[in-house]
Amino acid sequence: MATTWRELYGQVPALLPRIREVRGVLSAFNTNIDAVVKVRGDRIAAIARDLGLDPAALRAEGPRRIEEPGDVVRGLVRCFTGGIAEEWIVQGEEVSRWAGEAFGEGRLQMGGQAGIVANALAYLGVEQVLVHCASLPAIQAGLFQDLPGLLAPRADGTLAPARTVVRDDPPMVHRILEFDRGDVLPLPDGPRNCPKSNRFIATFDPWNLQMRLDPHLVSAAAAIPLELAFLSGYHLIQDPLPDGRPAREAIEASLRVLEAIRRPRPDLLVHLEAASTQDRQVRRLVLEEVVPQVHSLGLNERELIDLLEVLDPDLARRCEGDPHGGTLWEGLRTLQQRTQVPRVQLHFFGCYVTVQDRSFPWSPEATRLGMIVAAALAAGKAACGALETPEARTWAQGRDPGEVGLQEMASLARALGLSGAAATTFLETGILRGPDRDVVAIPTVLVERPVSLVGMGDTISSLSLVGALAARKAGA
Ligand code: GLC
Protein backbone atom coordinates (compact mmCIF):
# COMPACT_ATOMS: atom_id res chain seq x y z
CA MET A 1 0.00 0.00 0.00
CA ALA A 2 2.77 2.39 1.00
CA THR A 3 4.43 1.72 -2.37
CA THR A 4 1.49 3.21 -4.24
CA TRP A 5 1.50 6.32 -2.14
CA ARG A 6 5.25 6.57 -2.37
CA GLU A 7 4.94 6.41 -6.15
CA LEU A 8 2.23 9.03 -6.14
CA TYR A 9 4.29 11.33 -3.94
CA GLY A 10 7.19 10.59 -6.26
CA GLN A 11 5.40 12.54 -9.00
CA VAL A 12 5.72 15.82 -7.11
CA PRO A 13 9.21 16.89 -8.30
CA ALA A 14 8.20 16.52 -11.95
CA LEU A 15 4.98 18.47 -11.45
CA LEU A 16 6.41 21.44 -9.54
CA PRO A 17 8.05 23.09 -12.58
CA ARG A 18 4.72 22.94 -14.41
CA ILE A 19 3.17 25.36 -11.93
CA ARG A 20 4.92 27.97 -14.09
CA GLU A 21 2.34 27.20 -16.77
CA VAL A 22 -0.43 28.62 -14.56
CA ARG A 23 -0.79 32.08 -15.97
CA GLY A 24 -2.71 34.17 -13.46
CA VAL A 25 -4.20 33.98 -9.97
CA LEU A 26 -6.06 36.60 -7.95
CA SER A 27 -5.54 36.34 -4.19
CA ALA A 28 -8.00 38.44 -2.19
CA PHE A 29 -9.06 39.93 0.24
CA ASN A 30 -7.19 39.72 3.55
CA THR A 31 -3.52 40.60 3.81
CA ASN A 32 -2.02 41.60 7.14
CA ILE A 33 1.07 41.41 9.33
CA ASP A 34 1.46 38.40 11.60
CA ALA A 35 3.54 38.95 14.73
CA VAL A 36 4.36 35.36 15.65
CA VAL A 37 5.57 34.42 19.10
CA LYS A 38 5.98 31.05 20.79
CA VAL A 39 4.50 31.13 24.29
CA ARG A 40 5.32 28.72 27.09
CA GLY A 41 2.86 27.48 29.68
CA ASP A 42 4.72 29.00 32.62
CA ARG A 43 4.68 32.44 30.96
CA ILE A 44 0.92 32.20 30.45
CA ALA A 45 0.48 31.22 34.11
CA ALA A 46 2.63 34.15 35.25
CA ILE A 47 0.64 36.64 33.15
CA ALA A 48 -2.67 35.19 34.44
CA ARG A 49 -1.37 35.61 37.98
CA ASP A 50 -0.28 39.21 37.35
CA LEU A 51 -3.75 39.99 36.01
CA GLY A 52 -5.35 38.38 39.07
CA LEU A 53 -7.17 35.74 36.99
CA ASP A 54 -8.11 32.65 38.93
CA PRO A 55 -8.61 29.23 37.26
CA ALA A 56 -12.40 29.69 37.24
CA ALA A 57 -12.10 32.97 35.32
CA LEU A 58 -9.77 31.27 32.84
CA ARG A 59 -12.22 28.44 32.25
CA ALA A 60 -15.26 30.71 31.92
CA GLU A 61 -17.13 30.36 28.60
CA GLY A 62 -17.33 34.07 27.81
CA PRO A 63 -17.80 35.73 24.43
CA ARG A 64 -15.08 34.85 21.94
CA ARG A 65 -13.73 38.33 21.53
CA ILE A 66 -11.14 40.45 23.25
CA GLU A 67 -12.04 43.56 25.16
CA GLU A 68 -9.43 43.47 27.89
CA PRO A 69 -6.14 41.68 28.61
CA GLY A 70 -7.88 38.90 30.56
CA ASP A 71 -9.72 37.87 27.37
CA VAL A 72 -6.41 37.25 25.57
CA VAL A 73 -5.35 34.92 28.38
CA ARG A 74 -8.76 33.21 28.47
CA GLY A 75 -8.65 32.50 24.73
CA LEU A 76 -5.05 31.38 24.87
CA VAL A 77 -5.70 28.99 27.77
CA ARG A 78 -8.70 27.57 25.94
CA CYS A 79 -6.63 26.85 22.82
CA PHE A 80 -3.59 25.62 24.76
CA THR A 81 -5.54 23.13 26.87
CA GLY A 82 -7.66 21.96 23.92
CA GLY A 83 -4.76 21.90 21.44
CA ILE A 84 -7.00 23.89 19.10
CA ALA A 85 -6.67 26.98 16.86
CA GLU A 86 -8.94 29.98 17.23
CA GLU A 87 -8.86 33.61 16.22
CA TRP A 88 -10.56 36.25 18.32
CA ILE A 89 -11.00 39.88 17.39
CA VAL A 90 -9.40 42.56 19.56
CA GLN A 91 -11.74 45.50 20.03
CA GLY A 92 -9.16 48.19 20.89
CA GLU A 93 -5.57 48.91 19.92
CA GLU A 94 -4.37 49.23 23.56
CA VAL A 95 -5.11 45.58 24.28
CA SER A 96 -3.18 44.54 21.19
CA ARG A 97 -0.25 46.66 22.36
CA TRP A 98 -0.52 45.11 25.82
CA ALA A 99 -0.34 41.61 24.29
CA GLY A 100 2.84 42.58 22.40
CA GLU A 101 4.43 43.77 25.63
CA ALA A 102 3.23 40.84 27.73
CA PHE A 103 4.09 37.98 25.35
CA GLY A 104 6.74 39.65 23.17
CA GLU A 105 6.53 41.16 19.70
CA GLY A 106 7.90 38.01 18.06
CA ARG A 107 8.86 37.87 14.40
CA LEU A 108 6.90 39.63 11.70
CA GLN A 109 5.76 37.57 8.74
CA MET A 110 3.21 37.73 5.97
CA GLY A 111 -0.29 37.18 7.31
CA GLY A 112 -3.81 36.75 6.03
CA GLN A 113 -4.85 34.09 3.55
CA ALA A 114 -4.56 36.46 0.58
CA GLY A 115 -1.03 37.55 1.47
CA ILE A 116 0.23 34.08 2.38
CA VAL A 117 -1.25 32.47 -0.74
CA ALA A 118 0.08 35.24 -2.99
CA ASN A 119 3.63 34.75 -1.68
CA ALA A 120 3.39 30.97 -1.94
CA LEU A 121 2.02 30.85 -5.49
CA ALA A 122 4.34 33.50 -6.85
CA TYR A 123 7.28 31.72 -5.23
CA LEU A 124 6.27 28.44 -6.86
CA GLY A 125 6.21 30.09 -10.25
CA VAL A 126 2.63 31.12 -11.11
CA GLU A 127 3.30 33.68 -13.84
CA GLN A 128 1.27 36.56 -12.43
CA VAL A 129 -0.31 36.79 -8.99
CA LEU A 130 -2.47 39.79 -8.15
CA VAL A 131 -2.83 40.35 -4.43
CA HIS A 132 -5.39 42.51 -2.65
CA CYS A 133 -4.33 44.51 0.39
CA ALA A 134 -6.74 46.57 2.47
CA SER A 135 -3.76 48.32 4.01
CA LEU A 136 -0.29 48.52 2.46
CA PRO A 137 2.23 50.47 4.52
CA ALA A 138 5.98 49.89 3.95
CA ILE A 139 6.17 47.28 6.71
CA GLN A 140 3.44 45.25 5.02
CA ALA A 141 4.88 45.65 1.49
CA GLY A 142 8.26 44.47 2.76
CA LEU A 143 6.75 41.10 3.66
CA PHE A 144 6.01 40.29 0.02
CA GLN A 145 8.46 38.14 -1.89
CA ASP A 146 10.72 40.12 -4.18
CA LEU A 147 9.30 38.69 -7.40
CA PRO A 148 8.36 40.54 -10.60
CA GLY A 149 5.13 38.52 -11.10
CA LEU A 150 3.71 39.24 -7.64
CA LEU A 151 1.64 42.34 -8.29
CA ALA A 152 -0.57 44.88 -6.54
CA PRO A 153 -2.35 47.98 -7.88
CA ARG A 154 -0.63 51.30 -7.30
CA ALA A 155 -2.65 54.33 -6.16
CA ASP A 156 -3.08 55.34 -9.84
CA GLY A 157 -4.42 51.89 -10.71
CA THR A 158 -1.39 50.64 -12.62
CA LEU A 159 0.24 47.37 -11.61
CA ALA A 160 3.61 47.07 -9.92
CA PRO A 161 5.46 44.43 -7.88
CA ALA A 162 3.60 44.29 -4.55
CA ARG A 163 6.81 44.78 -2.61
CA THR A 164 7.29 48.20 -4.20
CA VAL A 165 3.73 49.47 -3.73
CA VAL A 166 3.71 51.46 -0.52
CA ARG A 167 0.71 53.43 0.67
CA ASP A 168 0.26 55.72 3.61
CA ASP A 169 -1.89 53.25 5.59
CA PRO A 170 -1.78 52.02 9.19
CA PRO A 171 -0.31 48.51 9.77
CA MET A 172 -2.77 45.71 10.60
CA VAL A 173 -1.11 43.43 13.15
CA HIS A 174 -2.36 40.01 14.23
CA ARG A 175 -0.70 38.47 17.28
CA ILE A 176 -0.12 34.79 16.67
CA LEU A 177 0.54 33.06 19.98
CA GLU A 178 1.86 29.57 19.23
CA PHE A 179 2.27 26.78 21.78
CA ASP A 180 3.79 23.31 21.71
CA ARG A 181 2.37 19.89 22.34
CA GLY A 182 3.55 18.48 25.66
CA ASP A 183 4.04 21.91 27.24
CA VAL A 184 2.53 22.37 30.70
CA LEU A 185 0.47 25.27 32.04
CA PRO A 186 0.96 25.38 35.81
CA LEU A 187 -2.27 26.80 37.24
CA PRO A 188 -2.98 27.07 40.99
CA ASP A 189 -5.52 24.22 40.82
CA GLY A 190 -3.17 21.89 38.96
CA PRO A 191 -1.11 21.61 35.77
CA ARG A 192 -2.75 21.43 32.32
CA ASN A 193 -1.07 19.71 29.40
CA CYS A 194 -1.13 20.90 25.84
CA PRO A 195 -2.29 17.94 23.70
CA LYS A 196 -1.38 19.37 20.27
CA SER A 197 0.83 22.15 18.93
CA ASN A 198 -1.40 24.95 17.74
CA ARG A 199 -2.05 28.70 18.08
CA PHE A 200 -4.32 31.41 19.34
CA ILE A 201 -4.65 34.56 17.21
CA ALA A 202 -5.53 37.94 18.70
CA THR A 203 -6.41 40.17 15.78
CA PHE A 204 -6.53 43.93 15.77
CA ASP A 205 -7.36 44.85 12.22
CA PRO A 206 -10.05 47.50 11.70
CA TRP A 207 -9.57 47.66 7.92
CA ASN A 208 -9.85 43.98 7.13
CA LEU A 209 -12.63 43.77 9.71
CA GLN A 210 -14.83 45.83 7.46
CA MET A 211 -13.34 44.32 4.30
CA ARG A 212 -12.11 47.66 3.07
CA LEU A 213 -11.59 47.26 -0.68
CA ASP A 214 -8.90 48.65 -2.94
CA PRO A 215 -10.87 50.62 -5.57
CA HIS A 216 -8.33 49.65 -8.27
CA LEU A 217 -8.66 45.89 -7.92
CA VAL A 218 -11.12 45.38 -10.80
CA SER A 219 -9.15 47.35 -13.38
CA ALA A 220 -5.91 45.73 -12.22
CA ALA A 221 -7.46 42.26 -12.56
CA ALA A 222 -8.55 43.03 -16.11
CA ALA A 223 -4.90 43.28 -17.13
CA ILE A 224 -4.08 39.72 -16.00
CA PRO A 225 -5.04 36.37 -17.60
CA LEU A 226 -6.63 34.97 -14.45
CA GLU A 227 -7.32 31.25 -14.19
CA LEU A 228 -8.15 31.14 -10.49
CA ALA A 229 -9.50 33.54 -7.87
CA PHE A 230 -8.66 32.52 -4.32
CA LEU A 231 -10.92 34.36 -1.86
CA SER A 232 -10.85 34.68 1.88
CA GLY A 233 -11.21 37.22 4.66
CA TYR A 234 -14.91 36.96 5.46
CA HIS A 235 -14.07 35.37 8.82
CA LEU A 236 -12.82 38.72 10.11
CA ILE A 237 -16.14 40.47 9.59
CA GLN A 238 -18.38 41.09 12.57
CA ASP A 239 -22.03 42.00 12.45
CA PRO A 240 -22.55 44.94 12.73
CA LEU A 241 -19.34 46.36 11.23
CA PRO A 242 -17.18 48.63 13.39
CA ASP A 243 -18.86 51.67 11.82
CA GLY A 244 -22.35 50.33 12.58
CA ARG A 245 -23.31 49.18 9.07
CA PRO A 246 -24.69 45.65 8.73
CA ALA A 247 -22.09 43.00 7.79
CA ARG A 248 -24.16 42.17 4.73
CA GLU A 249 -23.08 45.48 3.16
CA ALA A 250 -19.40 44.60 3.28
CA ILE A 251 -20.08 41.13 1.92
CA GLU A 252 -22.20 42.42 -0.92
CA ALA A 253 -19.60 45.05 -1.85
CA SER A 254 -16.98 42.31 -2.17
CA LEU A 255 -19.32 40.23 -4.32
CA ARG A 256 -19.89 43.15 -6.67
CA VAL A 257 -16.11 43.34 -7.11
CA LEU A 258 -15.98 39.60 -7.78
CA GLU A 259 -18.76 39.87 -10.32
CA ALA A 260 -16.98 42.68 -12.16
CA ILE A 261 -13.74 40.68 -12.20
CA ARG A 262 -15.34 37.55 -13.62
CA ARG A 263 -17.64 39.26 -16.14
CA PRO A 264 -15.06 39.24 -18.96
CA ARG A 265 -13.95 35.68 -18.07
CA PRO A 266 -16.93 33.49 -17.16
CA ASP A 267 -14.68 30.41 -16.85
CA LEU A 268 -12.68 31.83 -13.96
CA LEU A 269 -12.53 29.25 -11.18
CA VAL A 270 -13.43 30.80 -7.83
CA HIS A 271 -12.37 29.26 -4.54
CA LEU A 272 -13.41 30.37 -1.06
CA GLU A 273 -11.22 29.53 1.88
CA ALA A 274 -13.22 29.37 5.09
CA ALA A 275 -11.42 30.35 8.27
CA SER A 276 -12.12 30.44 11.98
CA THR A 277 -15.25 32.63 12.00
CA GLN A 278 -16.51 33.55 15.45
CA ASP A 279 -19.61 35.53 14.45
CA ARG A 280 -22.39 33.04 13.75
CA GLN A 281 -24.42 35.58 11.81
CA VAL A 282 -21.42 36.11 9.52
CA ARG A 283 -21.13 32.33 8.99
CA ARG A 284 -24.78 32.33 7.98
CA LEU A 285 -24.28 35.24 5.58
CA VAL A 286 -21.24 33.58 4.04
CA LEU A 287 -23.26 30.42 3.47
CA GLU A 288 -26.16 32.34 1.97
CA GLU A 289 -24.33 34.94 -0.08
CA VAL A 290 -20.76 33.93 -0.83
CA VAL A 291 -20.80 30.14 -1.04
CA PRO A 292 -23.36 30.08 -3.89
CA GLN A 293 -20.95 32.22 -5.95
CA VAL A 294 -17.96 29.89 -5.76
CA HIS A 295 -16.91 26.61 -7.40
CA SER A 296 -14.72 25.41 -4.62
CA LEU A 297 -14.58 25.64 -0.85
CA GLY A 298 -11.66 24.78 1.45
CA LEU A 299 -11.75 24.20 5.20
CA ASN A 300 -10.36 22.32 8.17
CA GLU A 301 -12.41 20.25 10.61
CA ARG A 302 -13.03 23.18 12.98
CA GLU A 303 -14.30 25.36 10.15
CA LEU A 304 -16.49 22.50 8.94
CA ILE A 305 -17.99 22.21 12.42
CA ASP A 306 -18.52 26.01 12.49
CA LEU A 307 -20.54 25.88 9.26
CA LEU A 308 -22.47 22.81 10.40
CA GLU A 309 -23.45 24.66 13.58
CA VAL A 310 -25.50 26.83 11.24
CA LEU A 311 -26.71 24.09 8.89
CA ASP A 312 -27.11 21.04 11.11
CA PRO A 313 -26.29 21.58 14.82
CA ASP A 314 -26.71 17.88 15.73
CA LEU A 315 -24.20 16.80 13.14
CA ALA A 316 -21.87 19.64 14.23
CA ARG A 317 -21.93 18.20 17.75
CA ARG A 318 -21.21 14.71 16.47
CA CYS A 319 -18.27 15.94 14.39
CA GLU A 320 -16.97 17.81 17.42
CA GLY A 321 -17.20 14.67 19.55
CA ASP A 322 -15.48 12.50 16.95
CA PRO A 323 -13.42 14.64 14.53
CA HIS A 324 -12.29 11.70 12.40
CA GLY A 325 -12.68 10.22 8.93
CA GLY A 326 -16.17 8.68 9.03
CA THR A 327 -17.97 11.36 11.04
CA LEU A 328 -16.23 14.23 9.27
CA TRP A 329 -17.18 12.63 5.99
CA GLU A 330 -20.84 12.84 7.00
CA GLY A 331 -20.30 16.50 7.81
CA LEU A 332 -18.55 17.15 4.52
CA ARG A 333 -21.21 15.38 2.50
CA THR A 334 -23.96 17.29 4.27
CA LEU A 335 -22.19 20.60 3.67
CA GLN A 336 -21.75 19.78 -0.01
CA GLN A 337 -25.34 18.64 -0.46
CA ARG A 338 -26.82 21.59 1.36
CA THR A 339 -24.71 24.20 -0.42
CA GLN A 340 -24.30 22.47 -3.79
CA VAL A 341 -20.72 23.73 -4.09
CA PRO A 342 -19.15 21.72 -6.94
CA ARG A 343 -15.95 21.00 -5.01
CA VAL A 344 -15.28 20.96 -1.26
CA GLN A 345 -11.93 20.09 0.27
CA LEU A 346 -11.43 19.26 3.92
CA HIS A 347 -8.01 19.02 5.55
CA PHE A 348 -7.50 17.58 9.00
CA PHE A 349 -4.71 15.88 10.89
CA GLY A 350 -3.08 13.31 8.62
CA CYS A 351 -5.58 13.39 5.78
CA TYR A 352 -7.22 15.55 3.07
CA VAL A 353 -10.58 14.70 1.52
CA THR A 354 -12.16 16.32 -1.53
CA VAL A 355 -15.64 15.72 -2.85
CA GLN A 356 -16.24 17.03 -6.35
CA ASP A 357 -19.08 16.89 -8.84
CA ARG A 358 -18.63 14.66 -11.87
CA SER A 359 -19.09 17.77 -13.97
CA PHE A 360 -16.14 19.52 -12.35
CA PRO A 361 -13.63 20.52 -15.04
CA TRP A 362 -10.82 18.37 -13.59
CA SER A 363 -10.45 14.63 -13.30
CA PRO A 364 -10.19 13.09 -9.82
CA GLU A 365 -6.61 12.11 -10.78
CA ALA A 366 -5.70 15.77 -11.33
CA THR A 367 -7.35 16.63 -8.02
CA ARG A 368 -5.40 13.87 -6.27
CA LEU A 369 -2.09 15.03 -7.71
CA GLY A 370 -2.86 18.60 -6.66
CA MET A 371 -3.59 17.39 -3.12
CA ILE A 372 -0.34 15.41 -3.04
CA VAL A 373 1.66 18.43 -4.18
CA ALA A 374 -0.05 20.42 -1.42
CA ALA A 375 0.68 17.77 1.22
CA ALA A 376 4.35 17.52 0.24
CA LEU A 377 4.88 21.28 0.29
CA ALA A 378 2.78 21.90 3.40
CA ALA A 379 4.92 19.33 5.25
CA GLY A 380 8.03 21.14 4.01
CA LYS A 381 6.60 24.45 5.18
CA ALA A 382 5.78 23.09 8.65
CA ALA A 383 9.17 21.41 9.00
CA CYS A 384 11.25 24.36 7.74
CA GLY A 385 9.09 27.21 9.08
CA ALA A 386 8.43 28.76 5.65
CA LEU A 387 7.52 27.49 2.21
CA GLU A 388 9.79 29.96 0.53
CA THR A 389 12.99 28.03 1.17
CA PRO A 390 14.67 25.46 -1.12
CA GLU A 391 14.63 22.87 1.72
CA ALA A 392 10.85 23.13 2.13
CA ARG A 393 10.40 22.20 -1.52
CA THR A 394 12.22 18.91 -1.19
CA TRP A 395 11.68 18.05 2.49
CA ALA A 396 8.94 15.47 1.87
CA GLN A 397 10.84 13.61 -0.83
CA GLY A 398 11.41 9.98 0.10
CA ARG A 399 9.17 10.20 3.19
CA ASP A 400 6.08 8.03 3.45
CA PRO A 401 2.70 9.42 4.40
CA GLY A 402 1.72 8.79 8.02
CA GLU A 403 -0.18 5.82 9.36
CA VAL A 404 -2.75 8.22 10.91
CA GLY A 405 -3.92 9.26 7.45
CA LEU A 406 -4.37 5.68 6.31
CA GLN A 407 -6.45 4.98 9.42
CA GLU A 408 -8.58 8.05 8.74
CA MET A 409 -9.05 6.80 5.18
CA ALA A 410 -10.10 3.39 6.49
CA SER A 411 -12.71 5.08 8.67
CA LEU A 412 -13.81 7.13 5.67
CA ALA A 413 -14.05 3.98 3.54
CA ARG A 414 -16.40 2.41 6.12
CA ALA A 415 -18.56 5.53 6.11
CA LEU A 416 -18.66 5.34 2.31
CA GLY A 417 -20.00 1.79 2.65
CA LEU A 418 -16.90 0.16 1.17
CA SER A 419 -15.59 -3.22 2.23
CA GLY A 420 -13.36 -5.97 0.87
CA ALA A 421 -11.65 -5.28 -2.44
CA ALA A 422 -13.47 -1.96 -2.92
CA ALA A 423 -12.15 -0.67 0.41
CA THR A 424 -8.63 -1.84 -0.44
CA THR A 425 -8.74 -0.09 -3.81
CA PHE A 426 -9.88 3.11 -2.14
CA LEU A 427 -7.09 2.89 0.44
CA GLU A 428 -4.55 2.32 -2.31
CA THR A 429 -5.71 4.89 -4.82
CA GLY A 430 -7.65 7.43 -2.75
CA ILE A 431 -10.28 7.72 -5.47
CA LEU A 432 -13.90 6.61 -5.37
CA ARG A 433 -15.99 7.45 -8.41
CA GLY A 434 -19.70 7.93 -7.83
CA PRO A 435 -22.63 8.53 -10.17
CA ASP A 436 -22.86 12.24 -9.31
CA ARG A 437 -19.67 13.02 -7.47
CA ASP A 438 -16.20 11.63 -6.85
CA VAL A 439 -14.39 11.37 -3.56
CA VAL A 440 -10.63 11.83 -3.42
CA ALA A 441 -8.64 11.29 -0.21
CA ILE A 442 -4.94 11.20 0.54
CA PRO A 443 -2.84 10.44 3.61
CA THR A 444 -0.38 13.26 4.32
CA VAL A 445 3.27 13.26 5.26
CA LEU A 446 3.49 14.14 8.96
CA VAL A 447 5.97 16.42 10.64
CA GLU A 448 7.07 15.33 14.08
CA ARG A 449 8.17 18.77 15.32
CA PRO A 450 6.63 21.54 13.20
CA VAL A 451 8.49 24.85 13.35
CA SER A 452 5.29 26.75 12.62
CA LEU A 453 1.73 25.87 11.67
CA VAL A 454 0.21 29.24 10.87
CA GLY A 455 -0.99 29.52 7.28
CA MET A 456 -1.10 25.77 6.72
CA GLY A 457 -4.73 25.67 5.58
CA ASP A 458 -4.21 28.45 3.05
CA THR A 459 -1.16 26.69 1.66
CA ILE A 460 -2.93 23.33 1.46
CA SER A 461 -6.01 24.66 -0.31
CA SER A 462 -4.25 26.94 -2.78
CA LEU A 463 -1.57 24.42 -3.71
CA SER A 464 -4.18 21.70 -4.17
CA LEU A 465 -5.88 23.93 -6.73
CA VAL A 466 -2.78 25.18 -8.49
CA GLY A 467 -1.25 21.68 -8.39
CA ALA A 468 -4.40 20.31 -10.04
CA LEU A 469 -4.33 23.09 -12.66
CA ALA A 470 -0.72 22.17 -13.42
CA ALA A 471 -1.61 18.45 -13.48
CA ARG A 472 -4.39 19.16 -15.93
CA LYS A 473 -2.01 21.06 -18.15
CA ALA A 474 0.28 18.03 -17.95
CA GLY A 475 -2.60 15.85 -19.15
CA ALA A 476 -3.77 14.21 -15.86
C1 GLC B 1 -6.15 34.31 9.53
C2 GLC B 1 -5.47 35.32 10.43
C3 GLC B 1 -4.10 35.67 9.91
C4 GLC B 1 -3.29 34.44 9.59
C5 GLC B 1 -4.08 33.50 8.73
C6 GLC B 1 -3.31 32.21 8.56
O1 GLC B 1 -6.48 34.93 8.35
O2 GLC B 1 -6.26 36.47 10.49
O3 GLC B 1 -3.44 36.44 10.86
O4 GLC B 1 -2.12 34.80 8.92
O5 GLC B 1 -5.32 33.21 9.30
O6 GLC B 1 -4.05 31.25 7.96
Side-chain angles (χ1 to χ4, degrees):
M1 187 180 302
T3 331
T4 324
W5 288 108
R6 190 177 292 179
E7 276 164 16
L8 286 166
Y9 272 91
Q11 296 176 22
V12 173
L15 193 75
L16 283 182
R18 305 207 70 145
I19 291 182
R20 288 201 204 103
E21 292 169 37
V22 178
R23 299 195 53 215
V25 176
L26 165 68
S27 191
F29 292 95
N30 59 324
T31 297
N32 64 266
I33 297 161
D34 279 350
V36 188
V37 54
K38 182 77 74 135
V39 293
R40 307 269 165 228
D42 43 11
R43 181 81 195 121
I44 305 175
I47 292 174
R49 201 180 46 235
D50 291 351
L51 290 173
L53 297 166
D54 60 24
L58 289 174
R59 260 196 308 270
E61 254 295 341
R64 296 196 201 158
R65 60 165 191 270
I66 297 169
E67 287 180 10
E68 51 185 39
D71 296 327
V72 179
V73 184
R74 190 166 53 85
L76 179 56
V77 168
R78 177 183 152 83
C79 290
F80 182 102
T81 52
I84 56 172
E86 281 188 8
E87 176 171 12
W88 293 10
I89 307 298
V90 183
Q91 310 293 331
E93 195 167 8
E94 321 70 59
V95 187
S96 175
R97 220 171 295 126
W98 170 84
E101 281 157 19
F103 294 100
E105 290 295 329
R107 63 173 196 281
L108 301 187
Q109 64 184 44
M110 177 57 76
Q113 277 76 2
I116 293 171
V117 165
N119 263 351
L121 298 188
Y123 174 76
L124 290 173
V126 171
E127 206 175 308
Q128 289 186 299
V129 177
L130 173 62
V131 63
H132 176 268
C133 302
S135 149
L136 193 47
I139 184 169
Q140 177 77 71
L143 297 175
F144 280 111
Q145 293 278 315
D146 191 3
L147 294 165
L150 174 48
L151 304 164
R154 285 206 197 92
D156 64 1
T158 56
L159 280 168
R163 201 177 161 89
T164 67
V165 180
V166 174
R167 304 194 305 236
D168 187 18
D169 298 336
M172 301 291 136
V173 179
H174 298 197
R175 305 216 171 265
I176 317 279
L177 308 177
E178 294 192 310
F179 40 80
D180 282 337
R181 176 166 67 100
D183 194 4
V184 179
L185 171 63
L187 290 180
D189 63 345
R192 315 274 167 81
N193 284 309
C194 172
K196 183 167 176 275
S197 302
N198 228 321
R199 73 208 173 255
F200 174 66
I201 308 185
T203 288
F204 179 69
D205 188 340
W207 285 18
N208 280 305
L209 247 64
Q210 50 182 304
M211 216 175 230
R212 197 178 161 119
L213 299 170
D214 180 341
H216 300 297
L217 189 68
V218 176
S219 59
I224 294 181
L226 295 178
E227 294 185 53
L228 167 70
F230 186 95
L231 305 184
S232 185
Y234 294 96
H235 65 290
L236 293 174
I237 299 179
Q238 285 176 305
D239 195 36
L241 299 167
D243 60 10
R245 287 179 302 139
R248 187 184 287 275
E249 280 190 22
I251 293 176
E252 287 176 351
S254 76
L255 292 177
R256 282 195 293 278
V257 165
L258 176 64
E259 199 189 314
I261 288 174
R262 74 207 293 195
R263 202 170 299 132
R265 45 175 87 78
D267 292 337
L268 177 67
L269 187 93
V270 183
H271 172 89
L272 172 68
E273 186 65 9
S276 167
T277 310
Q278 300 311 323
D279 190 317
R280 220 176 258 217
Q281 171 61 6
V282 171
R283 290 183 214 161
R284 191 180 303 279
L285 285 168
V286 166
L287 281 166
E288 283 170 8
E289 308 248 334
V290 188
V291 170
Q293 306 299 326
V294 306
H295 306 103
S296 170
L297 179 62
L299 28 65
N300 65 21
E301 76 278 21
R302 182 64 248 171
E303 295 149 9
L304 173 65
I305 294 166
D306 282 354
L307 293 181
L308 290 172
E309 278 176 1
V310 175
L311 294 173
D312 187 337
D314 271 352
L315 185 51
R317 266 190 294 279
R318 275 201 287 128
C319 286
E320 193 153 24
D322 176 35
H324 295 290
T327 316
L328 291 176
W329 163 250
E330 259 188 80
L332 185 61
R333 190 190 49 192
T334 301
L335 175 66
Q336 207 256 345
Q337 282 172 349
R338 294 279 296 271
T339 58
Q340 294 290 312
V341 185
R343 173 187 184 279
V344 186
Q345 181 173 319
L346 169 74
H347 52 268
F348 61 108
F349 188 62
C351 186
Y352 308 159
V353 187
T354 303
V355 52
Q356 75 182 32
D357 282 356
R358 286 317 291 271
S359 56
F360 200 72
W362 308 335
S363 65
E365 284 78 9
T367 292
R368 180 179 61 188
L369 200 45
M371 290 159 76
I372 286 176
V373 166
L377 293 176
K381 174 183 161 90
C384 305
L387 178 68
E388 296 84 2
T389 58
E391 307 78 57
R393 250 176 134 106
T394 52
W395 188 86
Q397 274 173 30
R399 293 176 201 259
D400 283 328
E403 199 44 47
V404 185
L406 292 167
Q407 280 162 16
E408 294 291 5
M409 284 177 64
S411 154
L412 172 62
R414 284 191 294 278
L416 288 165
L418 303 175
S419 58
T424 307
T425 306
F426 179 68
L427 288 182
E428 285 177 357
T429 64
I431 294 181
L432 176 70
R433 289 186 168 73
D436 306 318
R437 50 193 67 90
D438 302 323
V439 180
V440 184
I442 67 154
T444 66
V445 174
L446 296 178
V447 180
E448 192 52 42
R449 295 230 152 264
V451 175
S452 170
L453 287 171
V454 66
M456 283 298 271
D458 330 343
T459 306
I460 293 165
S461 293
S462 61
L463 294 185
S464 296
L465 291 160
V466 165
L469 273 174
R472 193 168 64 146
K473 288 176 195 277

